[in-house]
Amino acid sequence: MEGKQQQHQPPAGRAVMGAASDERRSEDGKDGAGCETLGRPLGPTPSQSRFQVDLVAEGAGRPAEELRKASREDGAAGKGSEEAKGRFRVNFVDPSAGDESPGEPGGGSSEGGNVSFQNGGDTVMSEGSLHSGGHHHYYYDTHTNTYYLRTFGHNTMDAVPRIDYYRHTAADLGEKLIRPSLAELHDELDKEPFEDGYANGDEGTPAGEATASYTPDSKGVVKFGWIKGVLVRCMLNIWGVMLFIRLSWIVGQAGIGLSVVVIGMATVVTTITGLSTSAIATNGFVRGGGAYYLISRSLGPEFGGAIGLIFAFANAVAVAMYVVGFAETVVELLKENGALMIDEMNDIRIIGAITVVILLGISVAGMEWESKAQIVLLVILILAIGDFVIGTFIPLDSKKPKGFFGYKAEIFMENFGPDFRHEETFFSVFAIFFPAATGILAGANISGDLADPQSAIPKGTLLAILITTLVYVGIAVSVGSCVVRDATGNVNDTIVTELTNCTAAACKLNYDFSSCQPVCQYGLMNNFQVMSMVSGFAPLISAGIFSATLSSALASLVSAPKIFQALCKDNIYPGFQMFARGYGKNNEPLRGYLLTFLIALGFILIAELNVIAPIISNFFLASYALINFSVFHASLAKSPGWRPAFKYYNMWISLLGAILCCIVMFVINWWAALLTYVIVLGLYIYVTYKKPDVNWGSSTQALTYLNALQHSIRLSGVEDHVKNFRPQCLIMTGAPSARPALLHLVHAFTKNVGLMICGHVHMGPRRQAMKELSTDLAKYQRWLIKNKMKAFYAPVHAEDLRDGGQYLMQAAGLGRMRPNTLVVGFKKNWRQSDMRDVETYINLFHDAFDIQYGVVVIRLKEGLDISHLQGQELLSSQEKSPCTKDVIVKVDYSKKAETDTSVAFAPSFSERTTTSRKDSKSQPSPLNLTDQRLLDASTQFQKKQGKSNIDVWWLFDDGGLTLLIPYLLTTKKKWKDCRIRVFIGGKINRIDHDRRAMATLLSKFRIDFSDIMVLGDINTKPKKENIAAFEEMIEPFRLHEDDKEQEVADKMKEDEPWRITDNELELYKTKTYRQIRLNELLQEHSSTANIIVMSLPVARKGAVSSALYMAWLEALSKDLPPILLVRGNHQSVLTFYS
């Protein structure tokens, strides 16, 4: 596709980009070929190719200037197409042109039957679009004008880097464009150069569809900046009712010093969590869902699904908590003024219900209204704090009896140390304060409504933590410096005469409050309304309390539905799918609002929030713990995709934060912590069991890979030992779904023990086979997982089966996890097949032995290959693998390619499927008896085997593989009731001795057996009718060189090396008779066995012809139950040493 601009004489077959520009188009809206361009849609339909390479007729030696002239005069594309000499034009269509000039001529290219293509972004940044703002339809010629190709000095289809290539298909930020695939750049050009219609497999979507992106109407969508969206919300949530009611009590109990420590400890936990949140939020685009989104995309759906549900629930119940806090304050005011409606409890319910309905109305009105309400509430809150601060500098004499004296060193010194009362401790005080610090995710929870979450969440969250902490510390120090712990409120408690036994700070200020101790009415320890008392204008503090509770309630009422909607959209819990729907421009979760409202209302009416409060705090803490753990986990996994823009985090500090969160959970309430762990674990197990079909590239996946890689490398440094030998099988299955019996039987003895690789050799034209390789890899690996097969699928392309087998045997596996045993099915129809295929099949055995592999041949009398019954497509239509779509390639291949290119390298590999896809989709016809038996046999190893026999004919010592495989079978659940019977060869006069020797050997190997039979008559001559049947079977494959001239016989043997010579037949007569005789013995002793495992006879390479060896295997294994012919590589796989 590339050529120097200076070249004037391209070789035949060169693809050039069409030399035309907007100015060169004719005035009536037609191109050079004379076809209409008006009314054509921009870009291709899904069935069209993205790139059209048109033949262009040009003289081989004409210079570029002449070509440009010619294109102006008569349109080079159409007129000379009959005399085209391999030149091509590639038409680029700018995807943005359709929006900017929809009615312009040239909205699409339509040269005489040609198909235009939409190249995602190759020419979008052209000079025309940058400067002129004119039309955006460009043709480029390799010998004339080019766009950015000038920059690079040569012509190319390659696209320059652009953000739109990296978007998801339905990105709501912009258009998803598809870059040219490697095939489009690299494949040879022909009449259909890019016939697959697919891009790089990113989404499995035809390119034309992929470029038609989802672009929502941006008008009316409300997006917040970092101040309005994060800072304000976090500050309002953190400054709860605790600031006005409980902080003074905490200072009284813990003293100024320890109160600052309590605030500092809470701040450490929230700051670490804030840093972790910032790291995750800046590691890629953040959608709606807040904490759920951050955790699920980092740790996967299991943790995300568990936390998402309890976090949404915690926010819903938190609405009730805050509303009840508000209602209690209102009822307190009503009580003071004697205006209760019914009684305290019912008044709280009534006011709470009315309040939550009003909050619901604000939320449903939309995020803009909710945001305005938050700003108003913040202003009130700041005024209330300012009111308190001003009040501390105005000590009135009327407030002194209640303990407020203004800033005094004596009070500061007295209140600096702790004075725990009523069984309170440092940790109990910490547990009471900590929920005040749990609002740090208020901004992250509406991540979907932020204009730039990556910037807003770190800035807003961390600044909110800093500001609120300073305010908490400032107020704690202020109130501790101004107010004494105990006061009577009695004006008459002034000191007239100096008391010698009074050492309290109040005494030094001429007040004696000792008369009311230990229980006084006023002071830090006794009066929760200290801040109202200290403030300059007390009603403003009440307004601050209302603001703090209502703002937190409003934030939680908005957060819960947004988180729940994100959870439902991911379909983690299918039963909640109805709550995924959003309404209006902002995709508001109205159903979620209603559900949150009902939960909150229910808890308000219950009004037992003292029990619920610690559980909710623990739910929040569990979320914080997992956010911290997510950062640690992602850093530990070393995934290249973990690249947070926020750099001020540390994996070990995040781990410390996670541990601190877990500790604080127990400090707050141990039973609530345990309950939280049980709920999270239960939900985790449920989601793990349901296995949602999502792939978010979580750090769990990355860590799994890293662990596998590290263990593989560590394993490669460990020498093999006979005690740790395990059969690691390379099974030549072809398409795994085609031979289920082969797969299930091998899986029975490799599952959780050894490696199992399903080899599949694709033959035929390389280009088509390469496409099949990539699609099959994802498709069949998915099939194996779906069918709970612990196996790998390994496809290769080769000229023939033998080459493919050699590639697999040499290259399959990794480090020590490499196959050591080749498993093939018996070639049942070998007599009807092309004998070259039989030669290839037998050569596999020779190759395996050469590479020091063991060999297992599996034969079922019904056969193994069921592909002709159900086709190669066993994947359900619901499977969403990005590569499962079939690629239909219409290419005229040579005669060699007339057969199926994905012929299985497996049993019956010559039984090639000729059924077309159209036939396979037609109504299935009833199966004949043979096919029905084949289908039944293909599932026999999936069933429980019952109390039957596994007969082991261990005739030759191959290192013990023949004995190890049946033992491994009996360790599996389906085979555990089967008994092993061992058959060995021996002499008639030493049967007892041989039996005892074998029993001793098996007992040393610790292998249980039910019986040992010594066969003394193996070498007896077989029956005449069986010998005759064998001779009849091999007759078509004999050379009969004695009846031919020497030259003719030698030529025939050279051309057909598989033929059986008379000399060979005579030389191996004894071995031939042994196979026939063994079949007679097998029929006699093992016809009722569930499965037979027998030593595979070995044929000397170059001495025994393929036809004779195949005839031996046929004679040995015909008309028997399922039989495994096994031959190890003659290295010990069993040992009796410890």
Side-chain angles (χ1 to χ4, degrees), residues 100-157:
E100 295 179 27
S101 53
E104 293 286 350
S109 168
S110 53
E111 303 176 18
N114 297 338
V115 183
S116 67
F117 74 93
Q118 187 168 354
N119 177 30
D122 267 36
T123 60
V124 169
M125 296 302 291
S126 63
E127 290 177 347
S129 64
L130 285 170
H131 305 299
S132 66
H135 306 311
H136 294 274
H137 191 119
Y138 295 90
Y139 292 90
Y140 291 123
D141 192 310
T142 36
H143 306 291
T144 60
N145 189 23
T146 57
Y147 150 51
Y148 56 82
L149 315 179
R150 291 186 215 148
T151 311
F152 297 108
H154 61 274
N155 288 346
T156 176
M157 261 188 199

Coordinates of all heavy atoms in Angstrom, one line a residue, residues 100-157:
E100 N -21.8 17.9 8.7 CA -21.5 19.3 8.4 C -22.1 19.8 7.1 O -22.5 20.9 7.0 CB -20.0 19.5 8.4 CG -19.3 19.3 9.7 CD -17.9 19.5 9.7 OE1 -17.4 20.3 8.8 OE2 -17.2 18.9 10.5
S101 N -22.2 18.8 6.1 CA -22.8 19.2 4.9 C -23.7 18.1 4.3 O -23.4 17.5 3.4 CB -21.8 19.6 3.9 OG -20.8 18.6 3.8
P102 N -24.8 17.8 5.0 CA -25.6 16.6 4.6 C -26.2 16.7 3.2 O -26.4 15.7 2.6 CB -26.7 16.6 5.7 CG -26.8 18.0 6.2 CD -25.4 18.6 6.1
G103 N -26.4 17.9 2.8 CA -27.0 18.0 1.5 C -26.1 18.2 0.3 O -26.4 18.4 -0.8
E104 N -24.7 18.2 0.6 CA -23.8 18.5 -0.4 C -23.6 17.3 -1.3 O -23.7 16.2 -1.0 CB -22.4 18.7 0.3 CG -22.4 20.0 1.1 CD -22.3 21.2 0.3 OE1 -22.1 21.1 -0.9 OE2 -22.5 22.3 0.9
P105 N -23.3 17.6 -2.6 CA -22.9 16.6 -3.5 C -21.6 16.0 -2.9 O -20.7 16.7 -2.4 CB -22.6 17.3 -4.8 CG -23.2 18.6 -4.7 CD -23.3 18.9 -3.2
G106 N -21.5 14.7 -3.0 CA -20.2 14.1 -2.5 C -20.4 13.6 -1.1 O -19.4 13.4 -0.4
G107 N -21.6 13.5 -0.7 CA -21.8 12.9 0.6 C -21.4 11.5 0.7 O -21.3 10.8 1.7
G108 N -21.2 10.9 -0.4 CA -20.7 9.5 -0.5 C -20.1 9.3 -1.9 O -20.4 9.9 -2.8
S109 N -19.3 8.3 -2.1 CA -18.7 8.0 -3.3 C -19.5 6.9 -4.0 O -19.9 5.9 -3.4 CB -17.3 7.5 -3.1 OG -16.8 6.9 -4.3
S110 N -19.9 7.1 -5.3 CA -20.7 6.1 -5.9 C -20.3 5.8 -7.3 O -21.1 5.8 -8.2 CB -22.2 6.6 -5.9 OG -22.2 7.9 -6.4
E111 N -19.0 5.6 -7.5 CA -18.5 5.4 -8.8 C -19.0 4.0 -9.3 O -18.9 3.0 -8.6 CB -17.0 5.4 -8.8 CG -16.5 6.7 -8.3 CD -15.0 6.6 -8.2 OE1 -14.4 5.8 -8.9 OE2 -14.4 7.5 -7.5
G112 N -19.6 4.1 -10.6 CA -20.2 2.9 -11.2 C -20.2 1.6 -10.4 O -19.3 0.8 -10.7
G113 N -21.1 1.4 -9.5 CA -21.1 0.1 -8.8 C -20.1 0.0 -7.7 O -20.0 -1.1 -7.1
N114 N -19.2 1.0 -7.5 CA -18.2 0.8 -6.5 C -18.8 1.0 -5.1 O -19.8 1.6 -5.0 CB -17.1 1.9 -6.7 CG -16.4 1.7 -8.0 OD1 -16.4 0.6 -8.6 ND2 -15.8 2.7 -8.5
V115 N -18.1 0.5 -4.1 CA -18.6 0.7 -2.8 C -17.6 1.6 -2.1 O -16.4 1.3 -2.1 CB -18.6 -0.7 -2.0 CG1 -19.1 -0.5 -0.6 CG2 -19.5 -1.7 -2.8
S116 N -18.1 2.6 -1.5 CA -17.2 3.5 -0.7 C -16.9 2.9 0.7 O -17.6 2.0 1.1 CB -17.8 4.9 -0.5 OG -18.9 4.8 0.3
F117 N -16.0 3.4 1.4 CA -15.8 3.0 2.7 C -15.6 4.1 3.6 O -15.2 5.2 3.2 CB -14.5 2.0 2.8 CG -13.3 2.8 2.8 CD1 -12.6 3.2 3.9 CD2 -12.7 3.1 1.5 CE1 -11.5 3.9 3.9 CE2 -11.6 3.8 1.5 CZ -10.9 4.2 2.7
Q118 N -15.9 3.9 4.9 CA -15.8 5.0 5.9 C -14.6 4.7 6.7 O -14.6 3.7 7.5 CB -17.0 5.0 6.8 CG -17.1 6.2 7.7 CD -18.4 6.3 8.3 OE1 -19.3 5.6 7.9 NE2 -18.6 7.2 9.2
N119 N -13.5 5.4 6.5 CA -12.3 5.1 7.3 C -12.3 6.0 8.5 O -12.2 7.2 8.5 CB -11.1 5.5 6.4 CG -9.8 5.2 7.2 OD1 -9.8 4.4 8.1 ND2 -8.8 6.0 6.9
G120 N -12.5 5.4 9.7 CA -12.6 6.1 10.9 C -11.5 7.0 11.2 O -10.5 6.6 11.9
G121 N -11.5 8.2 10.7 CA -10.6 9.2 11.1 C -9.3 9.3 10.3 O -8.4 10.1 10.7
D122 N -9.2 8.6 9.2 CA -7.9 8.7 8.5 C -7.8 10.1 7.9 O -6.7 10.6 7.8 CB -7.9 7.7 7.3 CG -7.2 6.5 7.7 OD1 -7.4 6.1 8.8 OD2 -6.5 5.9 6.8
T123 N -8.9 10.8 7.5 CA -8.8 12.1 6.9 C -9.5 13.1 7.6 O -9.7 14.2 7.1 CB -9.3 12.0 5.4 OG1 -10.7 11.6 5.5 CG2 -8.5 11.0 4.6
V124 N -10.0 12.8 8.8 CA -10.8 13.8 9.5 C -10.0 15.1 9.8 O -10.5 16.2 9.7 CB -11.3 13.2 10.8 CG1 -11.9 14.3 11.7 CG2 -12.4 12.2 10.5
M125 N -8.7 14.9 10.1 CA -7.9 16.1 10.5 C -7.2 16.7 9.2 O -6.1 17.1 9.3 CB -6.9 15.7 11.5 CG -7.5 15.3 12.8 SD -8.5 16.6 13.5 CE -7.3 17.8 13.9
S126 N -7.9 16.6 8.1 CA -7.3 17.1 6.9 C -7.2 18.6 6.9 O -7.8 19.3 7.7 CB -8.1 16.7 5.7 OG -9.4 17.3 5.8
E127 N -6.4 19.2 6.0 CA -6.2 20.6 6.0 C -7.6 21.3 5.7 O -7.9 22.4 6.2 CB -5.2 21.0 4.9 CG -3.8 20.6 5.3 CD -2.8 20.9 4.2 OE1 -3.2 21.3 3.1 OE2 -1.6 20.9 4.5
G128 N -8.4 20.7 4.9 CA -9.7 21.3 4.6 C -10.5 21.4 5.8 O -11.2 22.5 6.0
S129 N -10.6 20.4 6.6 CA -11.4 20.4 7.8 C -10.8 21.3 8.9 O -11.5 21.9 9.7 CB -11.6 19.0 8.3 OG -10.4 18.5 8.8
L130 N -9.5 21.5 8.8 CA -8.9 22.3 9.8 C -9.0 23.8 9.5 O -9.2 24.6 10.4 CB -7.4 22.0 9.9 CG -7.0 20.7 10.6 CD1 -5.5 20.5 10.4 CD2 -7.3 20.8 12.1
H131 N -9.0 24.2 8.2 CA -9.0 25.6 7.9 C -10.2 26.1 7.2 O -10.9 27.0 7.6 CB -7.8 25.9 7.1 CG -6.5 25.4 7.7 ND1 -6.1 25.9 8.9 CD2 -5.6 24.5 7.3 CE1 -4.9 25.4 9.3 NE2 -4.6 24.5 8.3
S132 N -10.6 25.4 6.1 CA -11.6 26.0 5.2 C -13.0 25.7 5.7 O -13.9 26.4 5.5 CB -11.5 25.4 3.8 OG -11.7 24.0 3.9
G133 N -13.2 24.6 6.4 CA -14.5 24.2 6.9 C -15.4 23.8 5.7 O -16.6 23.8 5.8
G134 N -14.8 23.5 4.6 CA -15.6 23.1 3.4 C -16.0 21.7 3.4 O -16.1 21.0 4.4
H135 N -16.1 21.1 2.2 CA -16.5 19.7 2.0 C -15.4 18.8 2.6 O -14.3 19.2 2.6 CB -16.7 19.4 0.5 CG -17.7 20.3 -0.1 ND1 -18.9 20.6 0.4 CD2 -17.6 21.0 -1.3 CE1 -19.5 21.5 -0.4 NE2 -18.8 21.7 -1.4
H136 N -15.8 17.6 2.9 CA -14.8 16.7 3.6 C -14.7 15.4 2.8 O -14.5 14.4 3.4 CB -15.2 16.4 5.0 CG -15.2 17.6 5.8 ND1 -14.0 18.0 6.5 CD2 -16.1 18.6 6.1 CE1 -14.2 19.1 7.1 NE2 -15.5 19.5 7.0
H137 N -14.9 15.4 1.5 CA -14.8 14.2 0.7 C -13.5 14.2 0.0 O -13.3 15.1 -0.8 CB -16.0 14.1 -0.2 CG -16.1 12.7 -0.9 ND1 -17.2 11.9 -0.7 CD2 -15.2 12.0 -1.6 CE1 -17.0 10.8 -1.4 NE2 -15.8 10.8 -1.9
Y138 N -12.6 13.3 0.3 CA -11.2 13.4 -0.2 C -10.9 12.1 -1.0 O -11.2 11.0 -0.6 CB -10.2 13.6 0.9 CG -10.4 14.9 1.6 CD1 -11.2 14.9 2.7 CD2 -9.7 16.0 1.2 CE1 -11.4 16.1 3.4 CE2 -9.9 17.2 1.9 CZ -10.8 17.3 3.0 OH -11.0 18.4 3.6
Y139 N -10.2 12.3 -2.1 CA -9.5 11.2 -2.8 C -8.0 11.5 -2.8 O -7.6 12.7 -2.9 CB -9.9 11.2 -4.3 CG -11.4 10.8 -4.5 CD1 -12.3 11.8 -4.5 CD2 -11.7 9.5 -4.6 CE1 -13.7 11.4 -4.7 CE2 -13.1 9.1 -4.8 CZ -14.0 10.1 -4.8 OH -15.3 9.8 -5.0
Y140 N -7.2 10.5 -2.5 CA -5.8 10.7 -2.5 C -5.1 9.8 -3.5 O -5.5 8.7 -3.7 CB -5.2 10.4 -1.1 CG -5.7 11.3 -0.1 CD1 -6.4 10.9 1.1 CD2 -5.4 12.7 -0.3 CE1 -6.8 11.8 2.0 CE2 -5.9 13.6 0.7 CZ -6.5 13.2 1.8 OH -6.9 14.1 2.7
D141 N -4.2 10.4 -4.2 CA -3.4 9.6 -5.2 C -2.0 9.5 -4.7 O -1.4 10.4 -4.3 CB -3.5 10.4 -6.5 CG -3.0 9.5 -7.7 OD1 -1.9 8.9 -7.5 OD2 -3.7 9.4 -8.7
T142 N -1.4 8.3 -5.0 CA -0.1 8.1 -4.5 C 0.9 9.0 -5.2 O 2.0 9.2 -4.8 CB 0.4 6.7 -4.8 OG1 -0.2 6.2 -5.9 CG2 -0.1 5.8 -3.6
H143 N 0.5 9.5 -6.4 CA 1.5 10.3 -7.2 C 1.2 11.8 -7.1 O 1.8 12.5 -7.8 CB 1.5 9.8 -8.6 CG 1.7 8.3 -8.7 ND1 2.9 7.8 -8.3 CD2 0.9 7.3 -8.9 CE1 2.8 6.4 -8.4 NE2 1.6 6.1 -8.7
T144 N 0.2 12.2 -6.4 CA -0.2 13.6 -6.4 C -0.3 14.0 -4.9 O 0.6 13.8 -4.1 CB -1.5 13.8 -7.2 OG1 -2.5 13.1 -6.5 CG2 -1.3 13.5 -8.6
N145 N -1.5 14.6 -4.7 CA -1.7 15.3 -3.4 C -2.0 14.2 -2.3 O -2.8 13.3 -2.5 CB -2.9 16.2 -3.6 CG -3.1 17.1 -2.3 OD1 -2.1 17.3 -1.6 ND2 -4.3 17.6 -2.2
T146 N -1.4 14.4 -1.2 CA -1.7 13.6 0.0 C -2.0 14.4 1.2 O -1.6 15.6 1.2 CB -0.6 12.6 0.3 OG1 0.6 13.3 0.5 CG2 -0.4 11.6 -0.8
Y147 N -2.5 13.8 2.2 CA -2.8 14.6 3.5 C -1.6 14.5 4.4 O -0.5 14.9 4.2 CB -4.1 14.1 4.1 CG -4.2 14.3 5.5 CD1 -3.9 15.5 6.1 CD2 -4.5 13.2 6.3 CE1 -3.9 15.6 7.5 CE2 -4.6 13.3 7.7 CZ -4.3 14.5 8.2 OH -4.3 14.6 9.6
Y148 N -1.8 13.8 5.5 CA -0.7 13.8 6.5 C 0.4 12.9 6.0 O 1.4 12.8 6.6 CB -1.2 13.2 7.9 CG -1.9 11.9 7.8 CD1 -1.2 10.7 7.7 CD2 -3.3 11.8 7.7 CE1 -1.8 9.5 7.7 CE2 -3.9 10.6 7.6 CZ -3.2 9.5 7.6 OH -3.8 8.2 7.5
L149 N 0.1 12.2 4.9 CA 1.1 11.4 4.3 C 2.3 12.2 3.9 O 3.4 11.7 3.8 CB 0.5 10.7 3.1 CG -0.9 10.1 3.4 CD1 -1.4 9.5 2.2 CD2 -0.8 9.1 4.5
R150 N 2.1 13.5 3.6 CA 3.3 14.3 3.4 C 4.2 14.3 4.6 O 5.4 14.4 4.5 CB 2.8 15.8 3.1 CG 2.0 16.0 1.9 CD 1.8 17.5 1.7 NE 0.5 17.7 1.0 CZ -0.3 18.7 1.2 NH1 0.1 19.6 2.1 NH2 -1.4 18.8 0.6
T151 N 3.6 14.3 5.7 CA 4.4 14.4 7.0 C 5.3 13.2 7.1 O 6.4 13.2 7.5 CB 3.4 14.3 8.2 OG1 2.4 15.3 8.0 CG2 4.2 14.6 9.5
F152 N 4.7 12.0 6.6 CA 5.5 10.8 6.8 C 6.3 10.5 5.5 O 7.1 9.6 5.5 CB 4.6 9.6 7.1 CG 3.8 9.7 8.4 CD1 2.5 10.0 8.4 CD2 4.5 9.6 9.6 CE1 1.8 10.2 9.5 CE2 3.8 9.7 10.8 CZ 2.4 10.0 10.7
G153 N 6.1 11.2 4.5 CA 6.9 11.0 3.3 C 6.5 9.9 2.4 O 7.1 9.6 1.4
H154 N 5.4 9.2 2.7 CA 4.9 8.2 1.8 C 3.4 8.0 2.0 O 2.8 8.4 3.0 CB 5.6 6.8 2.0 CG 5.4 6.3 3.4 ND1 6.3 6.7 4.4 CD2 4.5 5.4 3.9 CE1 5.9 6.1 5.5 NE2 4.8 5.3 5.3
N155 N 2.8 7.3 1.0 CA 1.3 7.1 1.1 C 1.0 5.8 1.9 O 1.7 4.8 1.8 CB 0.8 6.9 -0.3 CG 0.8 8.2 -1.0 OD1 1.0 9.3 -0.4 ND2 0.6 8.2 -2.3
T156 N -0.1 5.9 2.7 CA -0.4 4.8 3.5 C -1.9 4.8 3.9 O -2.5 5.9 3.9 CB 0.4 4.7 4.7 OG1 -0.1 3.6 5.5 CG2 0.3 5.9 5.6
M157 N -2.5 3.7 4.1 CA -3.9 3.7 4.6 C -3.9 3.8 6.1 O -4.9 4.0 6.7 CB -4.5 2.3 4.4 CG -5.4 2.2 3.2 SD -6.1 0.5 3.2 CE -6.6 0.4 1.6

